[in-house]
Amino acid sequence: MSAAAAAQAAPEVATAFRFDRLRKTFRSKDGGDVVALQDVDFRVRRGEFVTVVGPSGCGKSTLLRILAGLERASSGNVELGGREHTGPSRDVGVVFQAPVLLPWRNIIDNVLVPAQIQGRDAKTSRERALHYLNLVGLSGFETKYPNELSGGMQQRVGIARALVNDPMLLLMDEPFGALDAMTRETMNVELLKLRERTGATIMLVTHSIPEAVFLGDRVIVMSPRPGRVTQVIEVDLPSRTLDVINTERFGAYVSGIRANLNASGGLD
Ligand SMILES: Nc1ncnc2c1ncn2[C@@H]1O[C@H](COP(=O)(O)OP(=O)(O)O)[C@@H](O)[C@H]1O
Ligand SMILES: [Mg+2]
């Protein structure tokens, strides 16, 4: 390719991460192979918010764990910030379905765990921990203990903890699945604000099609196992406030995705 052609082909916005013919096979207990992911290919731009929906067992968590460096792909490539990605990195923060806070540590010391694991400077880490606790609305709770906080508040501690190393990429695996519907809606709105303030790239896995549409700049739809990407939808909504959920346009996105999942036999 000539230099001019290469320049033309270069993406305008920097790539946050990219999967290239990603495949993951697990060895099952009876010795057979379980293909969890097959030929997953997509690229996410820096600052983009992508959501991933698909039936149980289609490989969503596996995809996220590979990106988090907690699991290795069987073949194919994962690129993070332009480099090949093979292990855990402080550029990536992860929020799991349950926040798993350490009960004997107070809130700020829980948020500091990843900074301490990475051996980062204590004073600046503390400042960042306070900053992110403030961003998730938990200023004043620094010295409380996990059992003094509601489920929604604990999940917000988990988010602050994932952000403490200023990651370029935030990965969230069904982070609000255990919360009641109202808390969940509030958390969705807060997450969008947080995203605006941090500029982080976010990939969020969810079981909820409306949640995927409400949060995502793009929704990645996966098929039942072996997980493949069956559809990628650009979501263009006039606003991202909760009232948009009742609009026809929002409903059309949701039913389109539902139809796609139905067609692949994946709705559960
Ligand atoms: N460590 C593992 N060993 C064997 N099989 C696994 C392992 N992790 C996941 N799997 C299998 O891979 C498939 C995808 O799992 P997962 O990524 O957790 O799906 P999802 O998050 O979409 O529900 C499932 O069939 C699951 O049983
Ligand atoms: Mg999962």
Side-chain angles (χ1 to χ4, degrees):
M1 201 191 311
S2 72
Q8 213 171 25
E12 280 167 38
V13 184
T15 298
F17 66 88
R18 182 202 301 272
F19 294 116
D20 180 21
R21 282 169 294 120
L22 191 76
R23 196 183 155 87
K24 177 70 184 179
T25 310
F26 288 108
R27 182 58 44 91
S28 70
K29 286 198 189 78
D30 59 21
D33 280 343
V34 177
V35 181
L37 295 168
Q38 184 170 294
D39 294 328
V40 174
D41 266 302
F42 62 87
R43 166 183 168 258
V44 171
R45 298 181 288 272
R46 203 164 275 205
E48 197 178 6
F49 195 147
V50 288
T51 50
V52 180
V53 284
S56 293
C58 76
K60 303 182 295 299
S61 293
T62 303
L63 191 66
L64 186 135
R65 290 173 58 79
I66 290 173
L67 201 47
L70 301 170
E71 197 93 69
R72 287 197 74 132
S74 304
S75 65
N77 292 311
V78 186
E79 199 183 289
L80 181 71
R83 270 168 302 173
E84 196 184 341
H85 176 50
T86 48
S89 153
R90 73 180 188 201
D91 291 334
V92 182
V94 189
V95 180
F96 297 99
Q97 181 159 11
V100 255
L101 305 175
L102 303 173
W104 61 88
R105 278 190 166 219
N106 68 17
I107 297 310
I108 187 153
D109 287 341
N110 265 285
V111 171
L112 282 166
V113 167
Q116 288 164 352
I117 291 173
Q118 294 282 346
R120 305 196 80 180
D121 176 70
K123 185 163 170 285
T124 46
S125 297
R126 203 172 173 82
E127 278 161 16
R128 268 203 311 274
L130 288 169
H131 169 70
Y132 285 120
L133 277 170
N134 182 34
L135 273 192
V136 299
L138 287 177
S139 276
F141 290 88
E142 295 82 6
T143 56
K144 299 272 187 218
Y145 282 80
N147 66 4
E148 299 177 88
L149 269 54
S150 69
M153 290 163 96
Q154 291 190 26
Q155 196 54 304
R156 284 190 262 159
V157 176
I159 295 171
R161 181 181 55 192
L163 291 168
V164 74
N165 285 331
D166 281 332
M168 60 164 264
L169 177 62
L170 182 61
L171 302 177
M172 309 179 89
D173 195 355
E174 306 197 26
F176 309 133
L179 303 178
D180 64 84
M182 264 176 54
T183 310
R184 187 169 184 158
E185 284 189 346
T186 311
M187 296 290 287
N188 282 340
V189 172
E190 285 180 17
L191 181 58
L192 288 177
K193 286 189 198 150
L194 184 87
R195 178 257 187 131
E196 239 164 63
R197 293 189 204 127
T198 60
T201 308
I202 305 179
M203 181 168 99
L204 178 142
V205 167
T206 176
H207 245 85
S208 158
I209 302 172
E211 183 170 81
V213 172
F214 183 68
L215 293 173
D217 297 323
R218 282 190 297 159
V219 182
I220 314 260
V221 185
M222 292 181 64
S223 67
R225 213 180 67 208
R228 284 163 294 110
V229 175
T230 55
Q231 202 181 19
V232 177
I233 296 132
E234 296 266 356
V235 181
D236 181 14
L237 291 170
S239 79
R240 299 278 180 163
T241 48
L242 286 173
D243 46 359
V244 85
I245 290 173
N246 300 316
T247 62
E248 227 170 90
R249 193 176 182 131
F250 187 90
Y253 281 119
V254 172
S255 41
I257 293 169
R258 190 162 284 138
N260 177 289
L261 282 168
N262 259 331
S264 65
L267 212 56
D268 53 9

